[in-house]
Amino acid sequence: MILELLEAKRSGRELSAEQIHAFVGGVVDGSVTRAQAAAFLSFVFCNGMGVDETVALTEAMVQSGDQMSWEGLDGPFVDKHSTGGVGDKVSLVLAPLWAELGSRVPMISGRGLGHTGGTLDKLESIQGYRTDLDESDLSRVLSEVGCFISGQTADLAPADRILYALRNETSTVPSIPLITASILSKKLAEGIDELVLDVKWGSGAFMKTHEDASALADTLCRVGRGAGVMTRAVLTDMNQPLGRTVGNAIEVEEAIACLKGEGPGDLATLTCDLIGDPRAKTVLDSGAAYERFCRMVSAQGGDLSKPLLGSGCSDQTVCAPHGGMITTADAYMIGRAAFVLGAGRQRADQAVHPGVGVVVHKKVGERVAANEPLVTLRVADKGVDRARDLVLSAYSIDG
Ligand code: URA
């Protein structure tokens, strides 16, 4: 059976849903060897998969583990996924705001590898905040507050964990059907009715071009809908950081300001666009979503009356070598600067520093005078010189 399936995929033939379910079942119970699974991934990488096959792969991966259900609670149950960017703290604003608008947001999030930590790392800079809630805690918080942001439970889409590790080992990560099944399997296991995808493109994004991001968004939407969830996507530019902070605790501070209706504008606009409810901006400006964020933090054990972790860093400014108009504030380079200061990680077992990062004073289209600060680096014990070089090469100033 498995050899037949491998031969079919090697020759580019379409697999049936039954074959794909048997394959995924075998990956999880060990009857499909790691070598066979790696061969499957390589054939998919080279020959692709149709929408029906990708729907079957996604559903099989969802069914490989626990599927959350929110019996006794009223929906709609909604969530967002972002393909990841620099300064992307949207989840922290979006979850309480969407809950404030009447939906329930069961947001399972990740730590991520990259320039800064993921959403969970950012939230963990709030003292006491727990990201390891079990299903009964998740249900309680969703019922009491209307949203949670927590980590993956042990048995959520275990097939993805195995296949993702193999993709990393076999250089088969950048395949649209494999990315699609991986992202959607974890989101669909949350028991949601509606999913919005923030698919980013540009220097600080996983997809560098608009065209590639658009192809990924299209597949994600078709497969999500094929699996029975209302799915839509927004394509967003990630050539410069989102908002004005890149780090962990400093991103939480900026998200809190946004929840109080105090911007920054691009973060507020993107969050409202993703939610797609005409009332979103008025509710955000009212500060009501901030109250809900506080309730969520407190229900998850966090204490916002205490200082965020990572205080005690020092600030160093990086100034413009000459005056003029900012034409580039490259997200990748500014993200790297945050990374070398210790804000991110390369391997899952590494810790991130909660306090370090980059505060961005100047963005594209703004004017700067000679010797005026472009950014402030928030530094602890490493990376200052390299971060300064990265920031200087991130900026183009016309004039
Ligand atoms: N994020 C995921 O969860 N999976 C992928 O394959 C890529 C990004």
Side-chain angles (χ1 to χ4, degrees):
M1 161 77 181
I2 179 71
L3 289 180
E4 215 175 279
L5 172 142
L6 290 177
E7 277 160 24
K9 206 65 244 171
R10 191 187 62 198
S11 337
R13 290 202 299 280
E14 191 161 323
L15 301 177
S16 68
E18 193 189 3
Q19 282 175 304
I20 292 173
H21 277 263
F23 167 76
V24 172
V27 167
V28 175
D29 70 21
S31 58
V32 168
T33 67
R34 293 293 184 258
Q36 289 168 328
F40 173 86
L41 295 171
S42 307
F43 298 148
V44 171
F45 183 88
C46 295
N47 294 330
M49 266 187 150
V51 169
D52 290 346
E53 287 177 293
T54 314
V55 170
L57 182 61
T58 304
E59 288 179 335
M61 284 163 65
V62 171
Q63 288 160 23
S64 72
D66 286 345
Q67 293 170 69
M68 297 180 176
S69 72
W70 310 111
E71 269 149 45
L73 296 184
D74 293 333
F77 301 93
V78 300
D79 196 9
K80 180 228 46 153
H81 175 82
S82 159
T83 57
V86 176
D88 183 356
K89 68 282 289 170
V90 167
S91 294
L92 278 58
V93 183
L94 175 138
L97 177 57
W98 215 343
E100 191 61 33
L101 289 161
S103 293
R104 289 195 197 267
V105 192
M107 188 180 282
I108 297 289
S109 208
R111 289 182 193 286
L113 309 177
H115 308 301
T116 62
T119 297
L120 298 185
D121 298 293
K122 291 170 195 175
L123 283 165
E124 281 175 352
S125 61
I126 300 171
Q127 294 195 42
Y129 191 93
R130 285 186 48 212
T131 56
D132 61 348
L133 304 188
D134 63 22
E135 256 200 78
S136 80
D137 285 334
L138 295 175
S139 206
R140 173 185 54 81
V141 181
L142 194 61
S143 159
E144 289 172 8
V145 184
C147 59
F148 63 71
I149 306 179
S150 189
Q152 206 167 326
T153 55
D155 204 31
L156 191 101
D160 177 59
R161 215 164 305 156
I162 300 168
L163 291 174
Y164 197 70
L166 276 176
R167 285 166 61 206
N168 263 323
E169 283 173 40
T170 54
S171 199
T172 53
V173 170
S175 148
I176 285 186
L178 297 178
I179 295 170
T180 297
S182 169
I183 290 174
L184 291 182
S185 61
K186 288 170 288 202
K187 286 289 158 185
L188 270 44
E190 291 174 351
I192 50 174
D193 309 303
E194 182 183 344
L195 176 65
V196 63
L197 297 149
D198 180 2
V199 183
K200 297 190 180 294
W201 63 278
S203 78
F206 186 47
M207 291 292 176
K208 300 297 173 203
T209 66
H210 190 275
E211 193 186 355
D212 286 348
S214 173
L216 176 60
D218 184 57
T219 305
L220 282 163
C221 287
R222 293 219 242 162
V223 172
R225 289 172 198 150
V229 170
M230 256 192 303
T231 309
R232 57 197 166 82
V234 176
L235 286 181
T236 57
D237 182 333
M238 190 23 80
N239 284 299
Q240 65 173 340
L242 183 64
R244 296 204 179 248
T245 59
V246 182
N248 295 299
I250 53 175
E251 290 199 31
V252 172
E253 285 166 5
E254 188 173 40
I256 287 175
C258 189
L259 282 160
K260 289 179 174 171
E262 294 159 10
D266 58 349
L267 174 61
T269 301
L270 174 56
T271 306
C272 294
D273 286 353
L274 287 164
I275 291 175
D277 182 322
R279 299 169 299 159
K281 185 69 173 65
T282 311
V283 173
L284 185 60
D285 289 342
S286 76
Y290 173 62
E291 299 302 318
R292 200 172 284 260
F293 175 78
C294 295
R295 281 166 54 205
M296 178 187 81
V297 167
S298 152
Q300 295 195 217
D303 187 348
L304 283 167
S305 69
K306 296 196 173 139
L308 297 178
L309 295 174
S311 55
C313 294
S314 61
D315 285 350
Q316 302 226 0
T317 51
V318 181
C319 295
H322 59 87
M325 171 78 81
I326 308 289
T327 54
T328 316
D330 186 87
Y332 176 76
M333 300 279 200
I334 294 172
R336 285 300 299 169
F339 179 83
V340 300
L341 294 173
R345 64 163 73 75
Q346 228 155 8
R347 290 193 327 268
D349 59 351
Q350 290 172 325
V352 302
H353 192 299
V356 299
V358 182
V359 181
V360 178
H361 302 301
K362 295 292 173 185
K363 294 184 67 168
V364 172
E366 295 173 353
R367 297 200 71 81
V368 66
N371 294 321
E372 195 186 352
L374 290 168
V375 308
T376 298
L377 302 176
R378 193 155 289 174
V379 309
D381 52 0
K382 64 175 182 183
V384 190
D385 292 340
R386 178 89 184 104
R388 182 179 293 276
D389 290 345
L390 282 160
V391 165
L392 286 172
S393 49
Y395 276 91
S396 312
I397 306 169
D398 232 6

